[in-house]
Amino acid sequence: MSKSIHAVYCALAVIFLCSILPAQDKMYLGFDRNDYPDDVDMKALHQTFSYTGYWLNNPPGEKINTWTGHRAAVESAGFGFLVLFNGRLYAELKSVAHATKLGQSDARTATATAHREGFPAHTIIFLDQEQGGRMLAEQKAYIYAWVDGVIAAGFRAGVYCSGIPSVDDGNIVTAKDIRENAGKGARAPREITYWAINDACPPAPGCSFPKAPPSPAESGVSFAEVWQFAQSPQRKDVAAHCSNYSRNGNCYPPGIPVTQQLHVDVNTATSPDPSNGRSR
């Protein structure tokens, strides 16, 4: 066989294999943080990240929300969105009845704010559920009332929650607990998108910014569509074995001088716009 014919056969073989082998799904890197960086830094951050978290209310521990009014600038910088609403802590829920009312009220606030910020219908709004382990009755009542309210208003619902087995609670994984109970008491199946947090190494890659990000399914939550694998500051009780964090425990992205102290949490997702929040 001549070299030219052999080359043709090799090329045809490659084409054939590419046609029958499943394509690897591309994953996308994103970040979130409590404070809006600024318009200039957002452009620099887009060199590394495809999407960003975007708070609709005050982030955990904050008295103001500095993301308000920046949706257009964020989209103009090329970003997709992870739209977030900070949910209630267990101590605020009091009873199942009270938790249900709070969930309904917070859903109205979340969707009204999303409209006001310019997010289109069917945007996925993620409820930030900071507390992990098995969800108690009041927590479930709040979460599902919030989910139902968001969906009824024409948006889609997601939950940001722990994907780490809770050793003090029978190794329950919060994301799985919420999903397994989501159908109870519902008039129709609740469609919830899951954003799992698991910053333990492994499976997390630590404070890193891989060109080929891992799949959210590698978080330990097979149905997750977003995985937060690094937090700032580094959680010593969970992420002590992780590498590449700074000496002060924060995770700093490339392209921004460390002197700015612009730390981030790092995520991987199945989409460059996980909330489907872009208007174009």
Side-chain angles (χ1 to χ4, degrees):
M1 183 184 294
S2 69
K3 290 183 177 179
S4 60
I5 295 176
H6 183 266
V8 170
Y9 276 125
C10 288
L12 290 173
V14 169
I15 293 172
F16 174 73
L17 287 172
C18 288
S19 68
I20 64 172
L21 291 176
Q24 288 291 332
D25 292 331
K26 184 177 180 180
M27 302 299 156
Y28 300 87
L29 209 61
F31 80 94
D32 66 280
R33 67 193 313 270
N34 283 2
D35 298 325
Y36 182 70
D38 65 35
D39 293 348
V40 174
D41 285 336
M42 288 299 287
K43 292 179 181 179
L45 288 163
H46 188 52
Q47 300 302 310
T48 302
F49 302 109
S50 298
Y51 54 89
T52 176
Y54 192 99
W55 289 97
L56 296 178
N57 60 344
N58 295 351
E62 304 294 339
K63 295 182 179 180
I64 60 171
N65 179 16
T66 57
W67 290 86
T68 300
H70 290 288
R71 197 203 70 80
V74 171
E75 183 168 336
S76 294
F79 284 94
F81 295 92
L82 280 169
V83 182
L84 271 162
F85 185 85
N86 184 21
R88 306 280 182 158
L89 298 176
Y90 176 71
E92 300 175 78
L93 302 181
K94 309 301 182 184
S95 67
V96 168
H98 186 60
T100 300
K101 290 180 180 179
L102 280 177
Q104 294 167 342
S105 175
D106 283 356
R108 290 192 292 270
T109 299
T111 55
T113 305
H115 275 301
R116 189 165 58 249
E117 287 291 305
F119 286 104
H122 306 300
T123 294
I124 300 173
I125 304 174
F126 288 91
L127 177 67
D128 182 25
Q129 180 63 42
E130 290 286 317
Q131 294 171 310
R134 190 184 307 276
M135 295 290 96
L136 300 176
E138 295 87 349
Q139 292 171 304
K140 290 174 184 175
Y142 173 77
I143 292 169
Y144 300 137
W146 186 91
V147 166
D148 291 344
V150 166
I151 293 172
F155 289 87
R156 287 185 286 167
V159 177
Y160 164 92
C161 58
S162 176
I164 301 174
S166 178
V167 295
D168 297 328
D169 198 6
N171 284 325
I172 191 73
V173 175
T174 306
K176 295 179 181 179
D177 183 48
I178 293 173
R179 188 181 193 228
E180 288 170 1
N181 290 278
K184 295 180 180 179
R187 295 181 180 178
R190 291 186 174 99
E191 295 186 7
I192 302 174
T193 301
Y194 291 86
W195 173 2
I197 162 65
N198 188 347
D199 50 339
C201 298
C207 174
S208 62
F209 310 93
K211 296 294 184 181
S215 167
E218 296 177 40
S219 67
V221 178
S222 61
F223 50 86
E225 294 189 29
V226 188
W227 172 21
Q228 185 183 87
F229 61 76
Q231 281 195 352
S232 293
Q234 179 183 17
R235 298 195 296 170
K236 297 298 184 181
D237 59 329
V238 174
H241 298 293
C242 298
S243 59
N244 301 324
Y245 284 87
S246 66
R247 289 184 178 181
N248 66 9
N250 286 323
C251 185
Y252 295 115
I256 304 289
V258 175
T259 53
Q260 286 189 220
Q261 302 286 292
L262 198 158
H263 52 74
V264 296
D265 299 341
V266 190
N267 305 274
T268 180
T270 57
S271 167
D273 184 21
S275 275
N276 197 34
R278 293 182 61 86
S279 59
R280 58 183 183 279

